[in-house]
Amino acid sequence: MYCPPTLESNLLLFYFQEREIQSLSAEIESLKNPQDLSSSPRLDELREENAKLKYRLNILKRSLQEERTYCSKSMMNINQRLQEVFGEAIRASCPELDNPPLAVTPNQQAKFGDYQCNSAMAMAQMLKAKGIKVNPREIAEKIVQNLPDNELTQKTEIAGPGFINIHLKRSFVSKLLSNLLINGVQPPPLASKKRKVKPQFLTPPINIYRLNHVGDWGTQFGMLIAHLQDKFPDYLTVSPPISDLQAFYKESKKRFDEEEDFKKRAYQCVVRLQSKEPDFIKAWNLICDVSRREFQKVYDCLDIQIIERGESFYQEMMTEVVKEFEEKGLLQLDEGRKVVFVPGQPIPLTVVKSDGGYTYDTSDLAAIRQRIFDEKADVIIYVTDSGQGTHFQVVFAAAQMIGWYDPQVTRVEHAGFGVVLGEDKKKFKTRSGDTVRLMDLLEEGLKRSMDKLKEKERDKVLSQEELIKAQRSVAFGCIKYADLSHNRINDYVFSFDKMLDDRGNTAAYLLYAFTRIRSIARLANIDEATLRKAAETTEVILDHDKEWKLGKCILRFPEILQKILDDLLLHTLCDYLYELATTFTEFYDSCYCVEKDRQTGEVVKVNMWRMLLCEATAAVMAKGFDILGINPVQRM
């Protein structure tokens, strides 16, 4: 059974420490004097070192046993394992290269094998730069000759200028599928220590329990408080009836843009709010509560649990941040402002305004400092629109400049996203030109999904409870999937008709496919207990081309997860789930899972290994849905 790099490295350490103990023991034997065994100081030193090594070896043995137990239950990242195998062969083939290229990818055409190693050509170029001329095919032949014994490759073939085609052992793939069925879909553990991740969002996120950093302390609230004072002067004693905060904000923004006196008063309100004057704190709480109630409606629909932690949380920390930058000589005065210039960055950060107030720059610096030092985060991901990319670039650079974190140790990244466009390819707005509210989209999605279900006459076969579950699953799943299935960096066109289409790469198609797969066992009268028992006793046969293709596709799941962990692009997972669903359809159309009597419709034969392939497909799809925040149903 394959184990992740943590275990591989521990195995190497175990091996080398065991070799060191053997070497020390041999040296001890050679130094022993039959007349006086204690005469050599070197002997005592060696005995002490040997004892320490044996102690460490025993601890390592226990650690390896624990890791082996965990590894036996988790899925293998086949690509990663192949990289380890071929990496060893590549290093042995060209020891003169310090950092030889390692490229192993899935093969796009089945006739050329399952995976391909494309390192030989790049290695030949590197050797040529060193004045060594060698044919890439010769390098490929050396790599193949140096391949270590391993559990997963059946054979290798050299093609073209030096491509190495890799064929996997079918028996090994079958065992991996059985492992998945017995232990569930458990992705392999990370190669490094357990990591604490702190994503930050500026708008309601999709399905992650993380921090929502709301801008609750700046100019916008100064505008809202000033407008509140004018429109509801008795707000301190009578709760103001603000039902539409968006409209209220638009009114205040119009005044801010057109009335100079109002603008000055709004700025003063910010300073007094940040000074925590009671009347302004009261106004701020009233407005925050209205906003919170609106957000909660969205959170409830999308099944979100989240921690709200806005600028106000970092208020006291901002003072410390400014002080630290001043003490280290990193602040400069600029027309009454205190700014930070970071070498190589296009703009400075303003940490104190001329009126003494703080800015988003200050709060973001305080936030990153708190997450690194107080919460000990190893990974911090900022999820906001791409327009804020430059701002975060400068904030991260400033945090590195002052010494808060090393990017080689702590991952701090901005995951920006593009703009949602209407079908006219312009920014998505209502007919009146207002920004479309997410709650309105969710309600429209519910209406349309119910219409779609009734159009397919699902209301005649589902109970009312099942129908409502299916409606919510399709409506909310389709809206989430429409957003996540596009490259987050790019703009995309929002269309209800496309997202509710049950053909193509949509949530509707995937959800229908999932329920179809789940129904196969149900229609064959096979319960979960029978499937669990079969997983432990039945070999997953992969003789048919479509069985083999589906089995390999299922097991690529850990590779997909590793990729989205690296680049934070979730559309890769959406593409994979669509590929898995279509690959399953090819399999199901070609391979009988359940055979029935054509006249009576009674089940006469169940091909259990194919039922297990169905179960494995559904299990991986369910885990993929869970990651995307989509709630599938068993019947639709």
Side-chain angles (χ1 to χ4, degrees):
M1 178 57 64
Y2 162 73
C3 296
T6 45
L7 184 49
E8 293 291 338
S9 59
N10 277 343
L11 284 168
L12 284 172
L13 183 60
F14 182 87
Y15 169 77
F16 285 121
Q17 288 197 357
E18 198 167 42
R19 289 287 300 271
E20 192 171 350
I21 288 173
Q22 292 172 357
S23 176
L24 285 170
S25 297
E27 190 173 352
I28 288 170
E29 287 299 318
S30 68
L31 288 172
K32 281 182 179 179
N33 185 328
Q35 289 153 4
D36 185 3
L37 293 180
S38 61
S39 61
S40 171
R42 173 65 177 157
L43 188 61
D44 292 337
E45 182 183 324
L46 287 171
R47 282 172 172 161
E48 183 179 355
E49 183 64 25
N50 206 25
K52 288 179 180 177
L53 276 171
K54 285 182 177 179
Y55 176 74
R56 289 203 297 269
L57 200 64
N58 286 331
I59 293 175
L60 191 57
K61 277 182 181 178
R62 289 197 296 271
S63 176
L64 284 169
Q65 289 170 352
E66 292 173 2
E67 290 186 72
R68 282 185 189 279
T69 301
Y70 184 82
C71 289
S72 66
K73 294 183 178 180
S74 61
M75 293 181 71
M76 174 198 281
N77 184 329
I78 295 176
N79 193 308
Q80 191 175 71
R81 177 62 181 135
L82 285 171
Q83 287 185 32
E84 291 168 5
V85 170
F86 277 80
E88 185 177 335
I90 286 168
R91 288 188 295 273
S93 302
C94 286
E96 59 268 50
L97 293 179
D98 295 332
N99 190 24
L102 176 60
V104 178
T105 58
N107 239 327
Q108 299 304 311
Q109 298 186 55
K111 64 181 180 180
F112 296 129
D114 306 310
Y115 286 80
Q116 191 175 81
C117 176
N118 305 327
S119 299
M121 287 74 75
M123 291 168 67
Q125 290 296 320
M126 291 178 70
L127 289 169
K128 184 179 179 181
K130 287 177 170 283
I132 306 171
K133 289 187 178 181
V134 61
N135 189 302
R137 280 188 70 95
E138 293 177 21
I139 297 175
E141 288 168 0
K142 281 187 178 181
I143 293 172
V144 169
Q145 291 167 5
N146 284 297
L147 280 175
D149 291 337
N150 63 84
E151 73 281 28
L152 72 167
T153 59
Q154 179 69 40
K155 66 176 181 177
T156 56
E157 300 166 332
I158 300 172
F163 300 111
I164 302 174
N165 292 325
I166 306 162
H167 297 261
L168 299 176
K169 289 181 182 176
R170 298 205 176 200
S171 60
F172 183 69
V173 171
S174 176
K175 287 178 183 177
L176 292 182
L177 290 167
S178 294
N179 180 65
L180 181 157
L181 288 159
I182 293 169
N183 298 305
V185 183
Q186 297 192 33
L190 293 176
S192 58
K193 64 179 181 177
K194 292 182 180 178
R195 312 190 96 185
K196 187 182 290 186
V197 183
K198 293 286 179 182
Q200 169 192 310
F201 305 90
L202 285 189
T203 53
I206 294 220
N207 189 31
I208 303 176
Y209 182 64
R210 293 295 185 263
L211 299 180
N212 192 21
H213 184 96
V214 291
D216 62 352
W217 209 246
T219 303
Q220 291 179 331
F221 264 87
M223 291 161 31
L224 289 167
I225 292 172
H227 190 52
L228 177 73
Q229 290 171 336
D230 291 345
K231 194 164 184 177
F232 302 103
D234 57 351
Y235 75 89
L236 291 172
T237 55
V238 180
S239 182
I242 304 173
S243 57
D244 188 343
L245 188 59
Q246 188 172 352
F248 191 80
Y249 172 77
K250 284 176 65 178
E251 292 171 7
S252 69
K253 181 67 168 66
K254 186 173 185 297
R255 293 186 65 189
F256 184 84
D257 292 338
E258 297 176 358
E259 302 174 25
E260 191 61 32
D261 288 344
F262 181 83
K263 178 184 284 191
K264 289 179 182 177
R265 193 151 56 86
Y267 283 136
Q268 291 169 358
C269 286
V270 176
V271 175
R272 298 178 75 177
L273 173 63
Q274 292 178 353
S275 300
K276 296 189 176 179
E277 293 187 24
D279 290 359
F280 290 83
I281 291 293
K282 169 82 171 178
W284 171 71
N285 278 322
L286 287 170
I287 296 167
C288 284
D289 286 343
V290 174
S291 178
R292 227 172 258 121
R293 285 195 296 272
E294 290 302 307
F295 274 159
Q296 196 58 48
K297 292 177 185 177
V298 174
Y299 297 154
D300 290 343
C301 282
L302 300 183
D303 193 25
I304 290 169
Q305 292 180 321
I306 196 163
I307 299 169
E308 179 189 298
R309 189 178 290 172
E311 288 181 290
S312 56
F313 177 84
Y314 304 97
Q315 179 65 27
E316 301 302 326
M317 304 174 201
M318 294 187 217
T319 305
E320 292 301 313
V321 163
V322 174
K323 182 181 177 183
E324 187 172 345
F325 272 90
E326 278 183 321
E327 289 175 346
K328 294 189 177 180
L330 298 174
L331 278 190
Q332 296 183 32
L333 285 175
D334 180 46
E335 297 181 353
R337 302 176 303 153
K338 292 182 179 180
V339 299
V340 176
F341 285 94
V342 184
Q345 296 304 315
I347 55 174
L349 295 174
T350 300
V351 295
V352 182
K353 295 187 293 183
S354 57
D355 62 7
Y358 296 135
T359 69
Y360 284 130
D361 295 348
T362 329
S363 62
D364 281 335
L365 285 169
I368 193 171
R369 184 178 183 273
Q370 189 268 346
R371 290 163 191 161
I372 291 169
F373 291 106
D374 295 351
E375 298 188 344
K376 313 296 184 186
D378 298 296
V379 181
I380 306 173
I381 301 167
Y382 290 72
V383 185
T384 74
D385 66 279
S386 296
Q388 298 191 52
T390 300
H391 164 72
F392 286 116
Q393 173 187 316
V394 182
V395 169
F396 301 161
Q400 291 176 52
M401 179 181 72
I402 201 170
W404 290 345
Y405 79 95
D406 178 353
Q408 299 300 317
V409 177
T410 306
R411 181 180 179 182
V412 181
E413 190 167 343
H414 176 227
F417 53 80
V419 175
V420 181
L421 306 175
E423 295 189 64
D424 58 359
K425 304 294 178 68
K426 296 179 181 179
K427 196 167 183 179
F428 194 33
K429 293 182 179 293
T430 64
R431 290 183 180 179
S432 63
D434 294 334
T435 301
V436 179
R437 297 195 315 162
L438 180 53
M439 197 63 222
D440 293 338
L441 283 183
L442 295 174
E443 290 172 354
E444 179 69 13
L446 284 170
K447 177 184 178 300
R448 292 190 183 220
S449 65
M450 181 59 79
D451 291 343
K452 194 81 172 179
L453 289 165
K454 288 182 176 179
E455 180 187 313
K456 291 178 171 291
E457 299 187 333
R458 306 314 297 162
D459 55 322
K460 295 180 181 178
V461 295
L462 298 175
S463 68
Q464 185 63 22
E465 182 182 358
E466 289 174 329
L467 186 64
I468 295 298
K469 283 184 177 179
Q471 175 198 23
R472 293 176 68 85
S473 174
V474 172
F476 301 153
C478 283
I479 290 173
K480 290 178 181 180
Y481 194 85
D483 193 66
L484 296 174
S485 60
H486 294 86
N487 187 321
R488 61 171 167 77
I489 298 169
N490 302 329
D491 301 343
Y492 74 90
V493 175
F494 184 94
S495 167
F496 269 120
D497 291 335
K498 288 181 180 178
M499 71 172 63
L500 290 170
D501 195 339
D502 55 10
R503 297 162 297 177
N505 189 5
T506 66
Y509 170 77
L510 292 176
L511 288 165
Y512 282 124
F514 178 80
T515 55
R516 179 191 181 198
I517 297 169
R518 283 294 193 211
S519 70
I520 296 169
R522 189 166 59 246
L523 294 174
N525 297 316
I526 299 174
D527 58 21
E528 289 184 17
T530 303
L531 282 172
R532 282 196 299 271
K533 185 175 180 180
E536 296 174 352
T537 58
T538 305
E539 179 186 2
V540 181
I541 301 171
L542 301 169
D543 290 342
H544 195 285
D545 286 348
K546 300 302 181 184
E547 293 171 335
W548 179 236
K549 183 178 180 181
L550 178 59
K552 289 188 297 177
C553 189
I554 291 168
L555 294 176
R556 278 182 45 230
F557 186 54
E559 299 172 24
I560 300 301
L561 295 186
Q562 184 60 54
K563 187 176 187 309
I564 64 175
L565 181 66
D566 292 339
D567 60 24
L568 305 178
L569 296 173
L570 277 168
H571 73 276
T572 304
L573 176 57
C574 298
D575 292 342
Y576 166 75
L577 290 176
Y578 178 62
E579 179 188 350
L580 180 59
T582 54
T583 302
F584 176 84
T585 299
E586 291 178 21
F587 153 78
Y588 191 69
D589 290 344
S590 302
C591 303
Y592 288 112
C593 298
V594 179
E595 297 179 34
K596 296 182 178 181
D597 186 290
R598 292 188 176 181
Q599 293 182 336
T600 66
E602 292 183 4
V603 175
V604 294
K605 183 181 180 183
V606 174
N607 295 317
M608 189 56 76
W609 78 91
R610 289 177 176 166
M611 294 301 300
L612 292 176
L613 276 172
C614 296
E615 177 65 17
T617 303
V620 169
M621 288 187 73
K623 180 63 75 174
F625 287 147
D626 183 52
I627 292 170
L628 296 172
I630 294 173
N631 296 316
V633 290
Q634 300 299 315
R635 298 189 66 204
M636 186 177 292

